[in-house]
Amino acid sequence: MPLPAAAAPAAQPAPAAQPGPVTAYDDSYYQPALGKTGEELKVALNDIISTNDQLTYDQVWDALKVTDQDPANPDNVVLLYTGRSQGKDTNGGDADQWNREHTWAKSHGDFGTDVGPGTDVHHLRPTDVSVNSERGNKDFDMGGSEVGEAPGNFTDDDSYEPRDAVKGDVARMIMYMAVRYEGEDGAPDLELNDNVDNGEAPLMGRQSVLLQWNAQDPPDDFERNRNQVIFDQFQHNRNPFVDHPEWAGEIWR
């Protein structure tokens, strides 16, 4: 008599992001958001982070040379997907140069390089030109084939998976954009969903995977420093999910 088939193991939920430490900004910058959850928290954070200065797309070049400076070599920036340290002045559009990656793909909401979402340094990062092209406007998800020029990254027809060391960084940049841009002042209303292949809709997925990445890859010194530099020197606003990654689970469930 054949043995019964073994039951498939139950899927394991993503670990919850642990409460972050109280930051120096909690009693001032974040005070209106403290104690709130769900939509009330999202609205409060939008009010807080929307009072920021804005850059032109040309100014983004110089900003990235500061925000993404290699802490081990001040002449270089660290590229997001490859992790490669590369000369600040090798930016451009040719092979092996670095350019400006819109982590929230600019076609998702059709904002292009407009001042505002198209120039917000909180989601713009230096990346290898051809790797940027490989990612294109794909949503984020697990799986696919490994990217030849960026080992540890994977891609298929409709999604991109960054290397483990920046999975949380990517998630928190996407979450920032979904809170910062709510259809005001001519900008699109950006939202997370649990799909891929979102096309030109102002949507980005996959929400469940981004929440998992946020929990498994908490903010490191590089990401926290980047947030501080943007606040101090450029836009004068913060990514709240770098300061409080646990707020992601309070907004998206």
Side-chain angles (χ1 to χ4, degrees):
M1 180 176 178
L3 296 174
Q12 297 299 309
Q18 297 301 307
V22 174
T23 77
Y25 297 96
D26 281 355
D27 291 333
S28 53
Y29 189 75
Y30 290 122
Q31 197 281 329
L34 300 182
K36 293 182 169 63
T37 61
E39 187 64 21
E40 287 189 348
L41 175 58
K42 188 182 182 194
V43 170
L45 291 176
N46 170 263
D47 288 343
I48 293 166
I49 67 178
S50 295
T51 57
N52 64 291
D53 292 338
Q54 296 178 321
L55 307 181
T56 67
Y57 199 44
D58 282 342
Q59 288 172 326
V60 167
W61 285 122
D62 290 332
L64 293 181
K65 293 176 183 180
V66 181
T67 61
D68 290 74
Q69 178 175 292
D70 183 349
N73 184 345
D75 293 328
N76 287 11
V77 292
V78 178
L79 308 190
L80 177 65
Y81 297 131
T82 62
R84 187 170 75 236
S85 178
Q86 183 158 324
K88 289 179 176 179
D89 294 332
T90 63
N91 57 299
D94 295 332
D96 297 325
Q97 291 185 318
W98 65 267
N99 61 3
R100 298 159 290 185
E101 155 77 327
H102 290 79
T103 310
W104 186 294
K106 58 183 182 288
S107 63
H108 288 231
D110 194 28
F111 53 76
T113 59
D114 293 346
V115 170
T119 65
D120 195 315
V121 185
H122 276 295
H123 86 116
L124 281 156
R125 300 293 293 267
T127 56
D128 177 270
V129 167
S130 55
V131 175
N132 188 345
S133 178
E134 182 75 33
R135 187 266 161 140
N137 67 349
K138 297 170 185 174
D139 293 88
F140 292 102
D141 198 2
M142 301 289 289
S145 301
E146 191 165 33
V147 178
E149 288 194 65
N153 295 248
F154 299 85
T155 192
D156 56 24
D157 290 341
D158 54 21
S159 70
Y160 193 90
E161 177 187 347
R163 60 192 175 99
D164 288 348
V166 296
K167 279 182 165 68
D169 308 53
V170 167
R172 288 180 283 274
M173 287 186 282
I174 297 300
M175 293 167 182
Y176 163 88
M177 293 292 284
V179 169
R180 170 62 183 86
Y181 296 100
E182 296 280 17
E184 301 163 343
D185 300 325
D189 182 3
L190 304 182
E191 299 291 345
L192 301 186
N193 70 359
D194 212 34
N195 301 324
V196 294
D197 202 14
N198 277 302
E200 293 187 0
L203 303 169
M204 185 68 72
R206 187 178 301 267
Q207 176 181 305
S208 57
V209 172
L210 294 169
L211 287 169
Q212 180 180 351
W213 292 352
N214 175 58
Q216 76 182 48
D217 174 35
D220 59 15
D221 288 343
F222 187 91
E223 190 179 1
R224 285 189 290 267
N225 179 72
R226 188 175 198 278
N227 196 31
Q228 190 66 44
V229 169
I230 293 172
F231 180 76
D232 289 339
Q233 300 184 37
F234 296 103
Q235 295 183 181
H236 310 296
N237 71 338
R238 305 182 70 82
N239 182 336
F241 303 106
V242 176
D243 293 321
H244 286 281
E246 75 278 8
W247 280 347
E250 297 289 345
I251 295 174
W252 297 284
R253 301 177 184 273

